[in-house]
């Protein structure tokens, strides 16, 4: 694997600035291959380290005033250019006529045209470095023999489709359009339809359109499927001789009712001074070998993606639901972590081995919770593990208590469970329950991930860590202004914040009606968790060492570190591990972080679509909810079923309102709205395309047409100053007029 940084260093050391691309390649051919250099030059441009100008010369962007940015489009078709890798989130305004054909999501070089001390600097696009939207999803519209695709994402302009590119689709069809750029000009672009998804508005078609819009890899290439089909679906006894045999233990799995990709199992044994916990994870790396078609596809996917009625798996079902899944009563290969703990749940010893298990029971969270609650009726089939479940639960609660003592931040933000029928119609939306049965598995998996991460960190072996860095101080300043405005006591230091600080803050909100909203805002003040080759700790868990080891069927980082662990177990030399896996863990971390972000956004988008669709059945009906957000354009209200809607400012009772951004509230002379307020609303409307829900206050309809006035605190101060200034000027004028009048009268009397 080519090391791009190595080639960049060579460019700087040899000083290849102003050389043409061909000259650069010829000079570097002594140390690298043509393809390596060619690929590296492309990647270096995408990283913002070099720029190839119109004369094909290599330049350094900073020398010619160029800045690498990502385009963030808007509905009005001007855009903002967000500086790549900038911690201060610097962005520039790009007028629509200065975009040079760049669209939302594209990677570009920009040049500042109008500098400003505030955040309103203007720039123009000089070069589109990388197109990130070659395909878009939208609805075909035909009018007077002309065809356009109006994209579902209104940050993109409609795409013109020549008659030859319509592909037999008709007006109103939901389609996927391939954008073809004119080679002589980046600005001119037309499209051609490459797939007709079905009629716009159909539930299944709309979900498929969302999936297509995120470019998720739904279908597996044929070579990947062929590899999967060649794999055995059972394990012969002759293959287990070099593995530790755990088939005599009471090994169980605990998952949701609908789970098919079961990648973790647990066991427990009593020791003289404690217990041995076995966390047995599917040995996916035994079947997905390095650089195989299966491996390359799994790397590109990065993760499985879960929707209410559909899963897009990272691995073909022959593996994810078959030979890798730890199904009941069948032999399965595992990578097992054996953790010895004392009575206080302190880790005394640990060991990682290749194993083989036969799951005794495929249990659900519901089954386990009944046993924890002491309700064992109709659970006779699990009678042999009742004691194990109780013991696991006791250990889980002790582990949870230990994490809380060190400062773990616990967020109880509810997730939706969306239930559908066979037609895809939504039957119900409810909050997901997080009880002791879920905590049991969560605690054991966290413990295992920490043990694995610490072990391999201390061995100095290249690894993929799950990291969650401490909050950015600038972002934290804004959060603390909000907390102070809510009159919530906290002594968090933005420069030296600790997990315990946040834990204490959230605990103090336990009985506060604003708790749910405060939790969400607290979470938004945090950094995003990501994957990294560097062990940077996990702030949210208050953990020094952390990784993802326990889900290799659905996460590529887990699969990668399984592979590294097995190389180590088989005696691979440390220097060899470092030379081979250092660049691999770098690329894996970047790719996995990127694909996770896309998957999360896709899942959330489908959920929002389903929520809007579901709530369209209740237009005109009333509900009670809590204020979950306040803006200058309205009040967000979240219902008990997790659906959130907006009461727009024009639908609020008439008043002169002040919007306090820091305190996140608006208040007038008669009415006020702030986080946590209980409000009764009526579902006013839904917009399925934009996946939004509109509410209005129960008992209030703005039928008189009087529109509320909402000003910011600053605007209000300004207006008060102007009013006061005008008033004093008027008084001064009146006083002067009065004085002049008196003088005239006096003069008149004298005469």
């Amino acid at each position: 694997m080519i090391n791009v940084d190595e080639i960049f260093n060579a460019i700087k050391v040899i000083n290849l600035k102003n050389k043409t691309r061909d000259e650069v390649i010829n000079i570097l051919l002594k140390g690298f291959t043509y393809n390596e250099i060619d690929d590296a030059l492309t990647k270096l441009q995408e990283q913002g380290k070099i720029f190839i100008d119109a004369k094909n010369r290599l330049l350094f962007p900073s020398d010619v005033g160029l800045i690498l940015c990502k385009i963030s489009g808007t509905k009005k078709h001007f855009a903002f250019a967000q500086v790549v890798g900038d911690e201060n989130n610097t962005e520039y305004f790009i007028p629509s006529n200065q975009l040079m054909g760049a669209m939302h999501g594209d990677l570009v070089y920009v040049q500042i045209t109008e500098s400003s001390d505030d955040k309103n600097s203007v720039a123009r696009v000089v070069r589109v470095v990388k197109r990130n939207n070659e395909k878009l999803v939208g609805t075909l519209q035909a009018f007077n023999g002309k065809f356009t695709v109006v994209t579902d994402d209104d940050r993109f302009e409609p795409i013109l489709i020549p008659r030859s590119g319509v592909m037999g689709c008709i007006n109103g069809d939901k389609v996927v359009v391939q954008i073809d750029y004119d080679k002589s000009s980046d600005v001119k672009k037309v499209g051609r339809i490459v797939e007709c998804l079905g009629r716009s508005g159909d539930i299944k078609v709309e979900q498929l359109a969302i999936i297509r819009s995120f470019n998720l890899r739904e279908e597996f290439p044929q070579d990947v499927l062929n590899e999967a089909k060649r794999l055995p679906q059972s394990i012969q006894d002759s293959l287990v001789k070099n593995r530790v045999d755990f088939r005599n233990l009471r090994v169980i799995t605990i998952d949701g009712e609908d789970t098919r990709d079961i990648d973790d199992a647990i066991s427990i044994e009593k020791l003289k001074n404690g217990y041995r916990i076995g966390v047995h994870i599917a040995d996916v790396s035994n079947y997905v070998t390095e650089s195989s078609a299966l491996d390359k596809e799994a790397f590109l996917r990065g993760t499985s993606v879960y929707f209410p009625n559909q899963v897009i798996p990272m691995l073909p079902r022959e593996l994810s639901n078959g030979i890798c899944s730890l199904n009941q009563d069948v032999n399965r290969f595992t990578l097992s972590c054996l953790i010895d703990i004392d009575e206080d749940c302190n880790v005394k010893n640990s060991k990682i081995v290749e194993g083989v298990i036969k799951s005794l029971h495929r249990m659900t969270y519901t089954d386990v919770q009944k046993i924890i609650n002491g309700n064992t009726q109709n659970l006779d089939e699990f009678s042999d593990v009742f004691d194990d479940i109780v013991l696991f639960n006791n250990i889980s609660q002790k582990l949870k208590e230990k994490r809380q003592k060190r400062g773990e931040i616990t967020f109880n933000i509810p997730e939706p469970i969306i239930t559908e029928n066979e037609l895809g119609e939504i039957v119900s939306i409810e909050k997901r329950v997080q009880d002791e049965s879920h905590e049991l598995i969560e605690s054991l998996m966290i413990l295992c991930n920490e043990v694995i991460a610490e072990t391999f960190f201390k061995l100095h072996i290249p690894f993929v860590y799950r990291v969650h860095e401490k909050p950015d101080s600038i972002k934290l300043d804004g959060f603390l202004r909000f907390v102070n405005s809510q009159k919530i006591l906290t002594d968090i230091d933005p420069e030296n914040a600790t997990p315990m600080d946040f834990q204490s803050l959230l605990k103090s909100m336990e009985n506060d009606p604003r708790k749910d909203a405060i939790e969400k805002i607290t979470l938004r003040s945090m950094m995003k968790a990501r994957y990294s080759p560097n062990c940077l700790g996990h702030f949210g868990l208050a953990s020094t060492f952390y990784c993802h080891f326990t889900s290799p069927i659905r996460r590529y980082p887990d699969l990668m570190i399984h592979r590294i662990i097995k190389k180590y177990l088989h005696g691979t030399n440390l220097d060899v591990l470092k030379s081979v896996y250092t660049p691999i863990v770098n690329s894996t971390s970047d790719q996995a972080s990127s694909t996770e972000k896309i998957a999360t956004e896709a899942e959330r988008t489908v959920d929002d679509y389903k929520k809007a669709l579901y709530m369209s059945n209740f237009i005109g009906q009333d509900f009670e909810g809590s204020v979950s957000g306040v803006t200058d354009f309205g009040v967000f209200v979240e219902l008990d079923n997790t659906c959130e809607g907006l009461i727009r400012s024009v639908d609020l009772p008439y008043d002169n309102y002040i919007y306090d951004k820091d305190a996140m509230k608006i208040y007038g002379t008669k009415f006020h709205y702030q986080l946590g307020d209980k409000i009764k609303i009526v579902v006013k409307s839904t917009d399925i395309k934009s996946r939004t829900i509109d509410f209005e206050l129960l008992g209030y309809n703005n039928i008189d047409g009087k529109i509320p006035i909402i000003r910011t605190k600053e605007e209000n101060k300004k207006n008060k100053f102007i009013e006061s200034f005008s008033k004093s000027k008027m008084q001064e004028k009146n006083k002067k007029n009065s004085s002049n009048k008196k003088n005239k009268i006096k003069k008149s009397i004298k005469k």
Side-chain angles (χ1 to χ4, degrees):
M1 186 176 290
I2 181 63
N3 189 330
V4 176
D5 290 335
E6 198 176 336
I7 286 182
F8 182 57
N9 288 334
I11 289 171
K12 289 192 294 183
V13 170
I14 304 172
N15 191 14
L16 298 179
K17 180 181 171 182
N18 290 320
K19 299 286 185 184
T20 67
R21 187 183 182 115
D22 290 340
E23 287 173 338
V24 170
I25 291 174
N26 286 331
I27 292 169
L28 294 177
L29 274 174
K30 295 174 184 177
F32 308 96
T33 67
Y34 181 92
N35 287 338
E36 284 177 339
I37 303 165
D38 193 50
D39 289 346
L41 292 178
T42 299
K43 287 177 180 175
L44 287 170
Q45 283 203 89
E46 293 174 4
Q47 292 172 4
K49 292 181 178 178
I50 65 169
F51 177 73
I52 308 292
D53 71 4
K55 296 181 180 178
N56 220 21
R57 295 174 305 177
L58 185 149
L59 302 169
F60 295 121
S62 57
D63 291 344
V64 285
L66 298 179
I67 306 162
L68 186 70
C69 294
K70 190 171 185 178
I71 291 294
S72 178
T74 69
K75 295 178 183 180
K76 296 181 179 178
H77 305 307
F78 57 79
F80 292 93
Q82 299 169 340
V83 179
V84 174
D86 180 49
E87 293 181 357
N88 296 321
N89 299 317
T90 304
E91 61 181 18
Y92 304 107
F93 174 78
I94 312 286
S96 56
N97 64 348
Q98 296 294 315
L99 278 165
M100 291 290 291
M103 299 193 300
H104 174 74
D106 286 349
L107 201 62
V108 300
Y109 276 119
V110 305
Q111 198 168 48
I112 297 172
T113 55
E114 295 178 34
S115 293
S116 174
D117 292 334
D118 58 21
K119 292 186 176 181
N120 296 318
S121 293
V122 181
R124 67 182 181 92
V125 174
V126 175
R127 169 85 55 81
V128 177
V129 178
K130 186 179 181 181
R131 295 279 183 190
N132 283 319
N133 293 287
E134 292 183 354
K135 290 181 181 178
L136 294 172
V137 177
T139 303
L140 180 65
Q141 291 189 352
F143 183 72
N144 288 341
K146 294 184 179 180
F147 301 91
T148 56
V149 170
V150 178
T151 59
D152 287 355
D153 187 338
D154 51 15
R155 289 172 296 185
F156 297 95
E157 293 182 356
I159 307 297
L160 179 67
I161 310 293
R163 184 177 290 275
S164 60
V166 174
M167 206 184 82
C169 301
I170 61 174
N171 186 51
D173 278 351
K174 186 73 72 172
V175 298
V176 179
V177 59
Q178 172 83 43
I179 299 173
D180 295 323
Y181 295 92
D182 190 314
K183 292 181 180 179
S184 62
S185 169
D186 273 339
V187 179
K188 187 179 178 182
K189 50 185 178 288
V190 294
R192 53 190 168 87
I193 293 171
V194 292
E195 185 179 10
C196 184
L197 303 178
R199 296 302 290 167
S200 180
D202 180 274
I203 296 174
K204 292 182 179 178
V205 170
E206 292 295 340
Q207 177 165 320
L208 184 58
I210 293 171
I211 292 170
R212 289 287 193 278
S213 71
F214 283 95
N215 294 314
L216 299 176
R217 301 173 69 85
E218 286 180 89
E219 303 299 325
F220 286 97
Q222 194 57 50
D223 59 339
V224 174
L225 293 174
N226 291 341
E227 262 190 22
K229 288 174 183 175
R230 287 195 292 268
L231 293 172
Q233 284 301 305
S234 62
I235 294 169
Q236 297 176 355
D237 284 340
S238 59
L239 299 175
V240 305
K241 59 184 179 181
N242 294 323
R243 289 177 174 263
V244 178
D245 196 337
F246 297 107
R247 288 176 292 182
N248 63 326
L249 296 182
R250 293 184 302 277
V251 177
I252 60 170
T253 64
I254 304 173
D255 292 278
E257 277 80 358
D258 299 329
T259 303
R260 297 290 177 268
D261 49 353
I262 303 172
D263 44 20
D264 58 85
I266 54 175
S267 64
I268 191 162
E269 300 170 81
K270 183 73 177 81
L271 303 178
K272 185 178 179 180
N273 296 311
Y275 304 94
R276 173 166 292 169
I277 296 172
V279 179
H280 310 278
I281 306 301
D283 188 0
V284 179
S285 63
N286 187 73
Y287 305 100
V288 182
T289 55
E290 208 157 359
S291 299
S292 63
L294 280 166
D295 183 44
K296 290 174 182 175
E297 182 67 17
F299 174 83
L300 292 173
R301 292 178 178 233
T303 182
S304 295
V305 190
Y306 295 87
F307 302 117
N309 62 347
Q310 180 185 359
V311 178
I312 300 178
M314 185 179 79
L315 299 169
R317 284 172 175 79
E318 288 85 352
L319 287 90
S320 60
N321 295 4
I323 190 62
C324 292
S325 186
L326 306 182
N327 301 326
Q328 181 178 323
D329 293 331
V330 293
N331 294 333
R332 287 291 184 259
F333 286 156
T334 61
L335 201 52
S336 298
C337 184
L338 308 176
I339 307 168
D340 295 347
I341 60 173
D342 62 20
E343 295 287 350
D344 295 322
C345 291
N346 299 306
V347 176
K348 309 307 290 184
N349 192 26
S350 66
K351 187 179 182 181
I352 306 163
V353 298
E354 291 175 284
V356 60
I357 68 165
K358 181 185 281 189
S359 173
L360 186 63
H361 296 297
R362 188 253 193 253
M363 302 187 72
T364 67
Y365 291 115
T366 305
D367 298 328
V368 171
Q369 191 60 44
K370 285 180 179 179
I371 295 170
I372 291 171
N373 293 341
N375 178 15
T376 57
Q377 289 182 338
N378 303 319
L379 293 176
D380 293 342
E381 61 180 307
F382 305 128
S383 60
D384 52 348
V385 294
F386 282 177
D387 291 343
D388 288 353
I389 296 297
V390 172
L391 187 53
F392 274 131
N393 186 53
N394 291 338
I395 290 171
S396 164
Q397 295 306 310
K398 284 183 180 179
L399 289 170
K400 179 182 176 181
E401 187 180 341
K402 287 173 72 71
R403 294 198 307 273
Q404 288 179 336
K405 281 182 178 178
R406 75 190 188 197
E408 179 189 49
I409 309 167
T410 304
F411 292 102
N412 294 310
I413 298 170
E415 295 179 6
I417 296 180
I418 301 174
T419 306
E420 302 181 2
N421 61 23
E422 293 179 357
L423 299 174
E425 297 167 336
I426 302 143
V427 177
S428 65
I429 300 179
E430 300 171 332
K431 284 182 181 178
R432 186 181 299 278
V433 176
Q434 188 77 9
D435 52 26
E436 290 122 312
S437 64
H438 293 81
E439 290 176 353
L440 188 159
I441 287 297
E442 183 180 56
S443 287
L444 296 180
M445 296 307 118
I446 290 173
L447 175 66
C448 178
N449 287 332
E450 289 178 329
V451 166
I452 295 289
E454 183 174 5
T455 299
F456 283 86
F457 175 78
K458 290 179 177 178
L459 288 169
H460 304 289
I461 290 174
F463 218 59
V464 179
Y465 296 95
R466 180 67 169 177
V467 303
H468 184 221
E469 294 152 281
K470 64 179 294 187
D472 173 71
S473 59
I474 296 174
K475 204 170 182 181
L476 202 49
D477 269 331
F479 171 72
L480 291 175
R481 282 198 302 274
F482 161 72
V483 169
N484 292 331
S485 72
Q486 299 292 312
K487 296 184 171 50
I488 299 169
L489 297 176
T490 179
D491 55 359
I492 296 175
D493 178 356
E495 299 296 333
N496 299 291
T498 68
M500 187 64 80
D501 293 333
F502 287 92
Q503 185 198 88
S504 300
L505 171 65
L506 295 180
K507 277 187 176 179
S508 72
M509 302 295 299
E510 203 59 48
N511 299 312
D512 194 300
R514 299 167 295 176
K515 178 179 178 293
D516 290 345
I518 298 287
E519 277 199 357
K520 288 183 180 179
I521 295 165
T522 303
L523 185 60
R524 286 199 290 267
S525 75
M526 302 274 179
M527 300 287 279
K528 298 281 189 219
R530 62 186 177 89
Y531 295 101
S532 173
N534 303 310
C535 186
L536 305 174
H538 197 292
F539 189 84
L541 289 171
S543 182
T544 306
F545 310 98
Y546 201 67
C547 70
H548 274 170
F549 166 82
T550 53
S551 295
I553 291 177
R554 61 184 181 89
R555 292 189 305 228
Y556 193 81
D558 306 50
L559 172 57
M560 174 53 64
I561 66 174
H562 274 227
R563 193 171 283 151
I564 294 170
I565 290 168
K566 289 179 69 173
K567 291 285 186 185
Y568 169 75
L569 293 178
H570 292 170
T572 303
N573 181 274
L574 182 59
D575 290 336
V576 172
L577 284 172
K578 285 182 178 178
S579 63
V580 171
Y581 284 102
T582 296
I584 292 176
V585 297
N586 284 326
S587 59
T588 296
S589 298
D590 290 342
Q591 173 71 359
S593 296
S594 175
T595 52
E596 178 189 40
K597 184 178 178 181
I598 292 168
T600 301
E601 193 174 344
E603 290 167 350
R604 189 181 295 121
T605 302
V606 168
D607 282 356
D608 288 345
Y609 165 67
K610 302 281 185 179
K611 288 178 179 180
L613 195 63
Y614 178 68
M615 292 307 294
S616 65
N617 298 318
F618 300 97
I619 291 173
Q621 295 189 32
D622 58 280
F623 295 83
E624 184 174 86
S626 298
V627 173
S628 54
V630 179
T631 70
D632 57 350
F633 54 83
V635 175
F636 285 97
V637 178
E638 184 174 313
L639 308 183
D640 193 53
N641 62 7
T642 75
C643 294
E644 188 178 54
L646 174 67
I647 303 174
R648 298 182 184 275
S649 57
V650 293
D651 290 324
L652 291 172
Y654 176 74
D655 206 340
N656 285 310
Y657 292 104
I658 304 300
Y659 169 54
D660 187 336
K661 184 179 179 181
D662 287 339
M664 213 175 283
K665 66 179 179 181
I666 59 174
Y667 52 91
T669 55
K670 297 179 182 178
F671 305 96
H672 72 275
Y673 305 94
Q674 61 185 357
L675 291 180
D677 283 353
K678 294 291 182 184
I679 289 185
K680 288 187 177 181
I681 58 91
V682 174
V683 181
K684 181 183 180 183
S685 63
T686 59
D687 186 333
I688 307 301
K689 182 183 176 183
S690 64
R691 302 177 286 276
T692 57
I693 306 165
D694 277 3
F695 296 151
E696 59 187 10
L697 287 166
L698 180 64
Y700 176 81
N701 291 301
N702 192 3
I703 54 176
D704 58 5
K706 292 176 75 177
I707 298 174
I709 299 167
I710 300 179
R711 298 189 182 97
T712 64
K713 288 174 75 177
E714 292 74 18
E715 287 172 334
N716 196 52
K717 285 179 182 176
K718 185 178 177 182
N719 287 341
K720 281 185 176 179
F721 172 77
I722 292 171
E723 287 171 12
S724 174
F725 181 77
S726 300
K727 191 175 180 181
S728 71
K729 283 291 183 185
M730 185 61 71
Q731 287 174 342
E732 191 178 313
K733 185 178 180 182
N734 290 339
K735 191 175 180 181
K736 190 175 181 180
N737 289 340
S738 176
S739 176
N740 289 338
K741 196 173 181 181
K742 284 179 181 177
N743 289 335
K744 283 182 180 178
I745 292 170
K746 285 179 181 178
K747 286 180 181 178
S748 177
I749 291 171
K750 285 180 180 179
K751 285 182 180 178

